[in-house]
Amino acid sequence: MLNHPATSFPKDKIKVLLLENIHANATDLFQAEGFQVENVKGALSEKELIERIANVHLLGIRSKTHVPDAVIAAGKHLLSVGCFCIGTNQVEIAAANRRGVPVFNAPFSNTRSVAEMIIAEIIFLSRQLADRSKEVHEGVWKKVANHCFEVRGKTLGIVGYGHIGNQVGVLAESLGMRVIAFDIASKLAIGNTRTAGSLTELLENSDFVTLHVPETPGTKNMIGAAQIAKMRDGAYLLNASRGTVVEIDALSAALKSGKLGGAAVDVYPEEPSGNDGKFVSKLQGLPNVILTPHVGGSTEEAQANIGKEVAGSLIRFMNEGATPSAVNFPRVDVPVVAGSHRILNVHQNVPGVLKDINKIVSDLNANIRGQVLSTDNDIGYLVMDLDQNVSGSVRDAIEGLKTSIRTRILF
Ligand code: NAI
């Protein structure tokens, strides 16, 4: 449990609604705080959600529940939405922002899972293990050493040296690989990793190239025929980032011609929406090509991490007003100082709001110990610490300003 003063709103009155079988450790964390938790196994329709949201303070969903503006509007007491997954497309996050509701997710909970899969695939590609396994399953005994290599001493090129790229580098070095990395942002290279000056330099000097960039206009088709031509003959390409990053036609041609020695692909330009969807790709049936159904981050550990990370973010928001990892909200993270009293206010981002709020506070003769304001295009988020306890009437006065969206007295 976090060390913070008693909250003005009794914790046992805080209602959490968790949908879609969210990992049990989230329930444990909320209950340890004293919150009331209700779990629902599946997703709810918009109509069902609207019926149930009125008394809910925190809503937890995974990828199958849609939270449009109508649901957020119906959530009269809704303070925050937690997406217990990576994506947040299922929530109308701009509408949540305008209504003063921060949305949290867990973008880095499966970092290690992806990194470990990449390491496994590097060895599988280097030894053609996926093909050998398939042959033996089919009753074919084909013992070969030709074009099978150890990975020790080989060079791994990491494109996108962020959370996953970093971990892949650390693990690859422990196997005795040389690691070079290219990133558009300036990054501190970990261990013995060297940074490449350009994507071309990385492609020309790597035996394996693994992609760990986000989906952006700048990464769309960043690996096509021209880039593959720069790679070493017989090199391997791994993509567990996003399907739009690699041109599948170019990759397929390079595998067929033997320019590349193999590939491991986990993500595709078009992916089926569910497990019963049919999947067709030009990469199917090609030699030494590992195809997986977007499972890079799919492990039990990642699910558990997601439960902890998102529940932790929601609890910190409830207890301290902290929004450091919100996806749609001005970010504020102010340590709690003993003896101070905290007010949170979300307001329209227009001139003069701070003046109006400060006037209400100064009329009280209260001293402002700390005040942090963070804004985005539409809203401002103010966290204010006072040296004296304020009554509900102050909250009502601030809430009564026509610019106010939401106001909460924390403690
Ligand atoms: P991150 O945000 O920590 O790192 C991405 C890095 O790419 C950043 O350092 C950024 O500066 C760099 N970058 C952006 N544009 C670039 C460019 N044009 N050239 C070179 N570098 C560029 O992201 P994280 O967590 O490491 O994830 C990386 C990718 O992995 C994302 O696309 C994510 O969606 C994907 N992913 C896939 C999973 C799977 O199941 N296969 C699971 C988790 C993440």
Side-chain angles (χ1 to χ4, degrees):
M1 201 183 293
L2 292 161
N3 185 19
H4 55 78
T7 47
S8 344
F9 189 72
K11 286 192 173 193
D12 60 0
K13 295 235 159 34
I14 293 174
K15 294 201 174 107
V16 187
L17 176 62
L18 300 179
L19 310 180
E20 301 186 61
N21 250 338
I22 286 168
H23 197 280
N25 64 15
T27 298
D28 294 346
L29 286 168
F30 289 128
Q31 286 178 340
E33 285 293 319
F35 301 173
Q36 294 177 38
V37 184
E38 187 186 354
N39 270 286
V40 173
K41 270 208 159 115
L44 292 182
S45 68
E46 180 176 336
K47 189 166 166 285
E48 290 167 318
L49 251 184
I50 287 176
E51 278 163 16
R52 294 181 72 153
I53 200 88
N55 295 318
V56 169
H57 298 100
L58 297 175
L59 173 67
I61 60 164
R62 289 172 68 187
S63 55
K64 293 197 172 67
T65 304
H66 289 271
V67 184
D69 188 30
V71 169
I72 304 162
K76 294 289 172 231
H77 300 284
L78 185 66
L79 293 172
S80 182
V81 176
C83 298
F84 285 74
C85 49
I86 313 298
T88 53
N89 300 347
Q90 67 281 41
V91 181
E92 228 176 282
I93 55 170
N97 163 289
R98 285 194 299 276
R99 293 189 186 277
V101 175
V103 176
F104 296 91
N105 67 342
F108 307 122
S109 296
N110 54 14
T111 299
R112 175 72 184 204
S113 304
V114 180
E116 287 190 9
M117 185 184 79
I118 292 294
I119 295 298
E121 289 178 339
I122 288 170
I123 298 176
F124 259 60
L125 288 174
S126 208
R127 301 289 296 275
Q128 303 180 355
L129 291 180
D131 288 1
R132 292 299 87 78
S133 171
K134 186 166 173 283
E135 288 154 8
V136 176
H137 273 288
E138 289 164 352
V140 177
W141 191 262
K142 189 174 150 194
K143 190 168 151 113
V144 286
N146 211 12
H147 293 301
C148 294
F149 306 98
E150 292 183 354
V151 299
R152 178 172 48 174
K154 304 297 185 301
T155 300
L156 171 65
I158 300 174
V159 182
Y161 195 56
H163 288 79
I164 297 173
N166 248 277
Q167 288 271 325
V168 170
V170 169
L171 295 173
E173 282 195 353
S174 73
L175 290 171
M177 299 187 81
R178 295 199 186 101
V179 180
I180 55 178
F182 171 70
D183 199 295
I184 46 166
S186 157
K187 297 277 170 161
L188 175 70
I190 291 178
N192 297 316
T193 296
R194 287 176 298 112
T195 46
S198 65
L199 179 60
T200 300
E201 185 188 324
L202 180 139
L203 295 172
E204 287 172 351
N205 290 291
S206 300
D207 301 301
F208 298 81
V209 172
T210 185
L211 308 172
H212 299 292
V213 292
E215 181 174 74
T216 66
T219 62
K220 192 170 165 58
N221 294 333
M222 82 185 285
I223 303 294
Q227 290 71 29
I228 292 173
K230 289 182 183 133
M231 289 174 67
R232 288 180 170 175
D233 290 344
Y236 308 89
L237 181 70
L238 298 96
N239 184 19
S241 62
R242 280 295 176 259
T244 50
V245 176
V246 176
E247 276 183 46
I248 297 294
D249 284 351
L251 175 59
S252 156
L255 289 161
K256 279 185 188 149
S257 72
K259 163 69 185 172
L260 293 183
V265 181
D266 190 43
V267 288
Y268 309 86
E270 273 135 39
E271 298 178 6
S273 57
N275 270 354
D276 34 16
K278 183 109 181 76
F279 180 70
V280 178
S281 167
K282 285 194 174 165
L283 300 174
Q284 284 162 332
L286 298 179
N288 208 21
V289 173
I290 302 169
L291 301 180
T292 46
H294 204 146
V295 289
S298 304
T299 62
E300 303 250 351
E301 286 86 349
Q303 289 305 314
N305 288 342
I306 287 171
K308 268 196 252 165
E309 189 177 335
V310 180
S313 298
L314 292 170
I315 289 167
R316 285 204 65 218
F317 175 65
M318 291 306 289
N319 289 344
E320 302 170 33
T323 55
S325 57
V327 296
N328 66 334
F329 218 71
R331 294 179 177 194
V332 177
D333 191 358
V334 188
V336 172
V337 178
S340 64
H341 301 275
R342 181 164 288 183
I343 303 178
L344 311 176
N345 169 262
V346 186
H347 53 260
Q348 292 159 20
N349 186 8
V350 292
V353 176
L354 213 50
K355 193 175 90 215
D356 293 342
I357 293 177
N358 286 347
K359 175 156 185 349
I360 293 170
V361 173
S362 80
D363 286 350
L364 261 183
N365 287 327
N367 182 36
I368 298 176
R369 283 193 173 177
Q371 201 174 39
V372 177
L373 171 68
S374 176
T375 59
D376 61 22
N377 271 350
D378 293 315
I379 62 168
Y381 180 41
L382 176 70
V383 176
M384 182 163 55
D385 287 341
L386 305 180
D387 67 352
Q388 58 179 266
N389 207 343
V390 291
S391 62
S393 58
V394 174
R395 196 233 4 255
D396 293 346
I398 296 175
E399 185 75 348
L401 295 171
K402 64 178 190 315
T403 47
S404 276
I405 299 170
R406 263 165 213 253
T407 306
R408 209 157 47 105
I409 296 181
L410 268 192
F411 40 80

